[in-house]
Amino acid sequence: MKKDKISYTELTYQVVQQSPDPLPFDEILRRVHAIQPIKTKNPKSTIRSAIGQGRSIVATGDGRYGWKPRLITGSVLRLTLGKSDLSGQAVEFGNDMRDALWPAFLEIQKRIDRSPIQLQLPDGSKTSIPLDFFGKGHWGTSGSPEFWAWFKTLKAKPGDHLIFQVLDGMAKLSCVEFQARSQRDEAAVAARNQAILQAALAFVRNRWQGAAIWDLVSHLLATGQYKHPVPPDPFSEIWTPQVWKPTVAKKEHYGGWSFIGGIDASPVKDELLQGLFGGRAQVYDYENPPDLPPEYRSGGDRRPRPSRKAQRGPVGTLTLRASHRALPGVWRDIEIAEDQTLEDLHLVIQRAFEWNDDHLYSFFMSGRREDYETEVGCPWSETSLHTHQVEMGGLHLQVGRKFLYFFDYGDSHEFDVEVLQINPAAPKNDYPRIVARQGKAPPQYPECDEETGEPIEWDPYRHWKG
């Protein structure tokens, strides 16, 4: 009888999740080994990799690791109401609020949790509110009848605040109250703003590879920076270019820093893509993607779908070169049929680089990851187009064209995909297939310092440092 494959990652998650207190690295290693002896060549490296394969195990800043939903319990955050929030239809969240209320928002596919949370209103009653996608990187909630009934009694004005507190991150329970702008203690809020900024700057200064905005707010929440009765202003209001640009200017780096300043999406200008991206957004259930073939569904046996045309006879194919932007000399050449999809391309790139296919991903046909107008997201994303819906032939690619494959929204791996050749009548074969390769594949996860949790061995963007 075949034994089930041991997953040290799952055991690591189990150990940290079940511990009421954060644990030192060596203690995590000991507890995992006690459950199932670690028989790999380097047990420490195995556990480091396991810790890095998700977003729920976080460093607490004191040499320990804890379970993020538990660590953020007690956090207090401020939301400033704008004119659109007063419409009685939706309230928009910043990265800090979204991360506090939905701490598993950026988890890997099998652990992601964007389901509704329980919100306790000032009278003690509870209501369920969803997380909603408003387009172009904007998130918030459409609330509930109970929430809006309470909200209408506030007679709120632009600039007033909602104050959220995470009562129990494990149980997905938070509470909300109202604070008029005139009721703020300006001196106390200013002091809290400075405390948050100093903690944020200290974090990014020590991150040689830069820091995506969601990693930054996650760190602040996990290290208890928001556990104070006076919440600071929303992070987007205080983390301004005047604050972060001096720090960025001292870094010889390009990659991860591009997210700190926010998003600047540009319109689609490529005439060949106008038909693909010019349509209206679709109604789409990202938790249960419609028309998702069995081969693409979450699980351990995800694989490309065979080309139907190639099974019958000659087929048009594209030969593409995928190279990590940090290591342009390391590449894999892939031949893919015109009736196969971007999802097939994702899966074969993962196979070509021997990675784990355990995070979300997107293709940006303009080559710029901040250009949401040309984004084709994975089946579980809230984009207008999804990878399983777009056939390679429908992209109208030409030789020399490049686009971006962006894998793992947290660690931010960027691959350039270049069209090397187009064959209008390739022979019957099994597509997609890897036809050439150069260089050793980079590791998916860097080695991390056991005390700080910071990467120590592999800087994926070192070629930008000159």
Side-chain angles (χ1 to χ4, degrees):
M1 182 177 178
K2 185 179 178 180
K3 295 183 179 180
D4 293 336
K5 184 179 179 181
I6 300 170
S7 173
Y8 295 115
T9 297
E10 294 302 322
L11 292 178
T12 301
Y13 264 63
Q14 175 184 321
V15 163
V16 178
Q17 183 179 15
Q18 292 179 352
S19 174
D21 299 306
L23 299 170
F25 178 87
D26 287 343
E27 180 62 16
I28 297 174
L29 178 65
R30 187 192 70 79
R31 294 189 186 189
V32 172
H33 187 75
I35 299 171
Q36 176 64 59
I38 303 174
K39 298 180 179 180
T40 60
K41 293 182 179 179
N42 189 335
K44 284 192 173 183
S45 180
T46 298
I47 300 305
R48 289 194 199 106
S49 177
I51 289 173
Q53 290 186 33
R55 321 301 294 178
S56 294
I57 299 178
V58 291
T60 58
D62 58 359
R64 299 181 299 164
Y65 295 86
W67 191 249
K68 183 177 175 182
R70 183 180 288 112
L71 292 175
I72 65 175
T73 296
S75 297
V76 185
L77 296 93
R78 182 185 303 273
L79 185 151
T80 303
L81 295 169
K83 289 183 179 180
S84 62
D85 300 319
L86 304 179
S87 66
Q89 296 179 344
V91 173
E92 186 172 337
F93 296 145
N95 286 283
D96 49 355
M97 189 70 68
R98 184 193 66 195
D99 200 50
L101 301 183
W102 281 271
F105 174 83
L106 282 177
E107 258 292 5
I108 64 174
Q109 292 174 19
K110 61 183 176 181
R111 298 193 191 101
I112 194 169
D113 185 359
R114 300 178 183 175
S115 60
I117 65 167
Q118 290 296 303
L119 186 67
Q120 181 175 298
L121 301 176
D123 65 1
S125 64
K126 295 176 183 177
T127 185
S128 177
I129 65 168
L131 178 65
D132 297 300
F133 179 63
F134 300 147
K136 295 185 180 180
H138 297 281
W139 293 82
T141 183
S142 55
S144 68
E146 295 81 8
F147 173 83
W148 290 117
W150 165 74
F151 189 86
K152 289 178 181 180
T153 68
L154 304 176
K155 300 186 185 314
K157 300 177 182 178
D160 289 341
H161 305 285
L162 295 183
I163 308 297
F164 288 83
Q165 180 176 5
V166 182
L167 298 177
D168 187 341
M170 298 291 286
K172 299 176 61 178
L173 173 64
S174 295
C175 67
V176 63
E177 62 182 37
F178 174 73
Q179 184 181 73
R181 186 85 183 188
S182 59
Q183 296 174 332
R184 288 169 41 120
D185 183 335
E186 294 293 350
V189 173
R192 292 288 297 122
N193 289 347
Q194 285 303 310
I196 291 291
L197 289 178
Q198 291 307 310
L201 288 169
F203 178 71
V204 298
R205 286 182 185 125
N206 293 325
R207 298 273 290 189
W208 40 255
Q209 85 281 28
I213 193 71
W214 40 76
D215 286 329
L216 181 49
V217 297
S218 177
H219 168 79
L220 295 173
L221 285 162
T223 54
Q225 300 299 326
Y226 284 88
K227 293 184 179 181
H228 190 283
V230 178
D233 282 314
F235 194 68
S236 61
E237 294 182 16
I238 61 176
W239 189 245
T240 63
Q242 289 78 10
V243 171
W244 57 259
K245 272 190 175 180
T247 298
V248 175
K250 296 178 182 178
K251 296 275 187 176
E252 294 179 357
H253 185 276
Y254 172 78
W257 289 105
S258 63
F259 273 99
I260 286 182
I263 301 300
D264 179 22
S266 60
V268 181
K269 297 181 179 179
D270 192 321
E271 293 183 0
L272 292 176
L273 298 178
Q274 286 284 5
L276 190 64
F277 292 98
R280 299 175 62 184
Q282 58 186 299
V283 177
Y284 189 84
D285 181 359
Y286 64 85
E287 292 186 342
N288 298 286
D291 304 321
L292 192 66
E295 294 90 341
Y296 296 163
R297 293 173 186 166
S298 295
D301 193 29
R302 275 170 41 81
R303 60 194 184 280
R305 299 184 77 197
S307 165
R308 294 181 179 179
K309 289 184 178 181
Q311 293 174 343
R312 297 193 299 263
V315 63
T317 64
L318 301 92
T319 300
L320 310 171
R321 174 163 295 176
S323 57
H324 198 297
R325 283 187 173 178
L327 302 165
V330 177
W331 46 259
R332 303 291 185 264
D333 289 351
I334 295 162
E335 187 176 15
I336 189 168
E338 62 184 355
D339 64 334
Q340 293 179 305
T341 67
L342 283 172
E343 183 67 12
D344 296 314
L345 180 58
H346 154 74
L347 291 167
V348 74
I349 290 175
Q350 289 288 303
R351 186 176 69 189
F353 285 90
E354 300 177 343
W355 283 11
N356 294 327
D357 181 31
D358 55 1
H359 287 277
L360 303 179
Y361 47 92
S362 293
F363 290 89
F364 293 83
M365 304 314 298
S366 68
R368 299 171 54 237
R369 69 177 184 180
E370 68 269 24
D371 185 1
Y372 290 129
E373 298 293 340
T374 66
E375 180 183 12
V376 183
C378 65
W380 302 273
S381 65
E382 288 79 8
T383 49
S384 296
L385 290 173
H386 298 85
T387 50
H388 66 291
Q389 300 169 326
V390 178
E391 291 188 351
M392 299 304 301
L395 292 169
H396 307 292
L397 298 172
Q398 298 175 348
V399 172
R401 179 64 182 265
K402 286 185 179 181
F403 55 96
L404 170 66
Y405 167 57
F406 181 42
F407 175 71
D408 185 348
Y409 301 159
D411 285 334
S412 305
H413 290 288
E414 299 173 312
F415 290 80
D416 280 317
V417 182
E418 180 181 4
V419 182
L420 301 181
Q421 181 180 349
I422 297 176
N423 187 343
K428 292 176 63 176
N429 212 323
D430 292 328
Y431 301 105
R433 63 192 188 115
I434 303 165
V435 296
R437 63 181 71 217
Q438 176 174 291
K440 181 181 178 181
Q444 182 175 349
Y445 302 104
E447 295 288 333
C448 294
D449 185 275
E450 296 168 13
E451 292 297 319
T452 66
E454 292 300 309
I456 58 176
E457 289 194 3
W458 182 58
D459 177 355
Y461 294 101
R462 62 180 177 269
H463 78 288
W464 274 314
K465 292 186 175 182

